[in-house]
Amino acid sequence: MNTPTRRRALTLLAAAAGLPLLDLPLMGLRPAAAVEMPTLRHWSGVALGADAHLVINHPNPAEADALIQASLAEVARLEAIFSLYRPDSALSRLNRDGVLVDPPAELVILLAEALSIARRTDGAFDPTVQPLWTLYAGHFGRPGASPAGPPESAVREALAQVGYHKLTVAPDRVSFHHPGMALTLNGIAQGYVTDQVVALLKARGVAHTLVDMGEIRAVGTHPTGRPWTAGIKAPGEDDRTLLTLPLRDQALSTSGAYGTPFEPTGRFNHLFTPATGRCSDPRFSVSVSAPTATLADALSTALSVTPVGARVLARFPECRAWRAGADGSVTALNRSQST
């Protein structure tokens, strides 16, 4: 999925007032003092090309460790389906051949969800933007590349291959309508994998856990009885938290253009507006809380590239969203919401 050097915009915090922070250090985050919680088992590593963390509240350390290993096996299984960078993955084979017969059920389920969100966001979320990534990465990967970006003619050519309505998804076949099309699931797959790990843990009796496989989802409470807590960092910064949010049976995702820039200024980056091929403003990020990490992941991507965020968000009454600025501002995107 995304490369491990992607900068994270969320940090996980302890929920208990008066206690030091529970240290789950993310990339670029200043470590905090850890709380001794003997029932908590921690794992930190890389999943789907990004920093990942798993915290399980369980009285039996051996059983907790077995649950962590089962979770990681599930992540590995799903990565073999969704990875853009493994040539043998189902997604890579689809992008290479333009058609995938007898696709894995998980790919069909996730693509159906992606297309539903694409329609509900008027195409602001669109998994077919991979040709734009290829264009920009290729342009800035060449020596002496123009700092003005690819020529408009090349952008128009790439845009001709973009459009979620040009993708057919059925249980027995996934196919593109035109040669040159390609999918990326980087704006939704990490959320889906997070949800699948949560489902696995719940099925095995875990009632209190914090799962972060690129996106965060909290189940139950922290051992103190308080909610789990996540902090939204200032865009492009590692150690300035602008907003702290309690999480209980809720997911949280942040999308920021500064996360994966193609060139030093960040003007050209991985968050594309599907209608124009232009890139999102790196001075801002969008965070979304939702019942599932899949929805939070996709919706934070969509709200990062649409000029009518409040209107789109109104179609998702179960979600809340915030826009954070590098100047330290935080704006609630829900019309009736306050920070």
Side-chain angles (χ1 to χ4, degrees):
M1 314 302 287
N2 290 333
T3 63
T5 55
R6 187 185 62 167
R7 301 180 73 174
R8 298 295 305 278
L10 295 173
T11 178
L12 307 177
L13 308 174
L19 291 177
L21 297 182
L22 172 63
D23 181 26
L24 294 176
L26 301 182
M27 185 172 297
L29 179 68
R30 181 180 299 165
V35 178
E36 290 298 327
M37 290 290 175
T39 62
L40 284 180
R41 301 297 286 181
H42 301 236
W43 172 86
S44 294
V46 174
L48 300 164
D51 279 356
H53 305 275
L54 181 58
V55 185
I56 296 177
N57 183 22
H58 199 289
N60 187 315
E63 290 186 19
D65 289 345
L67 288 168
I68 289 173
Q69 291 306 310
S71 298
L72 297 182
E74 176 69 353
V75 171
R77 184 183 74 84
L78 294 171
E79 187 166 17
I81 298 173
F82 302 135
S83 174
L84 269 175
Y85 304 114
R86 289 180 51 168
D88 61 338
S89 75
L91 181 60
S92 292
R93 288 185 283 123
L94 172 61
N95 284 345
R96 182 181 64 243
D97 301 334
V99 62
L100 188 65
V101 178
D102 295 326
E106 294 85 354
L107 181 62
V108 174
I109 291 169
L110 184 55
L111 287 178
E113 180 71 9
L115 292 181
S116 173
I117 296 172
R119 289 188 289 269
R120 294 176 70 190
T121 60
D122 298 328
F125 176 78
D126 192 328
T128 69
V129 295
Q130 183 63 15
L132 289 167
W133 171 282
T134 301
L135 172 65
Y136 280 89
H139 174 83
F140 286 106
R142 290 190 292 270
S146 169
E152 285 298 318
S153 58
V155 174
R156 288 194 298 271
E157 184 177 342
L159 283 173
Q161 311 306 325
V162 173
Y164 67 91
H165 55 284
K166 303 174 185 177
L167 172 68
T168 295
V169 178
D172 61 342
R173 181 184 176 93
V174 179
S175 61
F176 299 135
H177 294 191
H178 303 293
M181 291 184 65
L183 286 178
T184 174
L185 297 175
N186 283 3
I188 192 171
Q190 288 172 330
Y192 178 80
V193 172
T194 295
D195 287 335
Q196 292 305 105
V197 171
V198 166
L200 181 153
L201 293 174
K202 283 185 170 183
R204 300 192 183 191
V206 175
H208 303 276
T209 183
L210 191 66
V211 179
D212 174 13
M213 297 298 147
E215 311 301 342
I216 297 169
R217 184 167 167 187
V219 177
T221 61
H222 186 274
T224 60
R226 302 270 185 145
W228 302 96
T229 306
I232 297 171
K233 296 192 293 184
E237 297 189 26
D238 293 332
D239 56 4
R240 184 162 60 121
T241 299
L242 301 182
L243 181 65
T244 300
L245 300 171
L247 295 178
R248 180 173 180 174
D249 298 319
Q250 198 78 357
L252 184 67
S253 173
T254 292
S255 293
Y258 54 86
T260 309
F262 292 114
E263 40 76 52
T265 71
R267 173 188 169 195
F268 297 100
N269 54 74
H270 72 295
L271 285 178
F272 305 106
T273 302
T276 66
R278 301 184 187 278
C279 302
S280 184
D281 191 331
R283 296 172 297 174
F284 298 94
S285 68
V286 174
S287 299
V288 173
S289 67
T292 68
T294 304
L295 179 55
D297 193 2
L299 195 53
S300 67
T301 299
L303 294 176
S304 296
V305 298
T306 177
V308 290
R311 187 176 73 191
V312 168
L313 190 57
R315 300 169 187 166
F316 300 86
E318 72 276 30
C319 300
R320 301 172 67 200
W322 300 263
R323 190 171 191 248
D327 60 357
S329 62
V330 179
T331 304
L333 297 183
N334 303 67
R335 289 191 175 97
S336 61
Q337 175 188 330
S338 63
T339 57

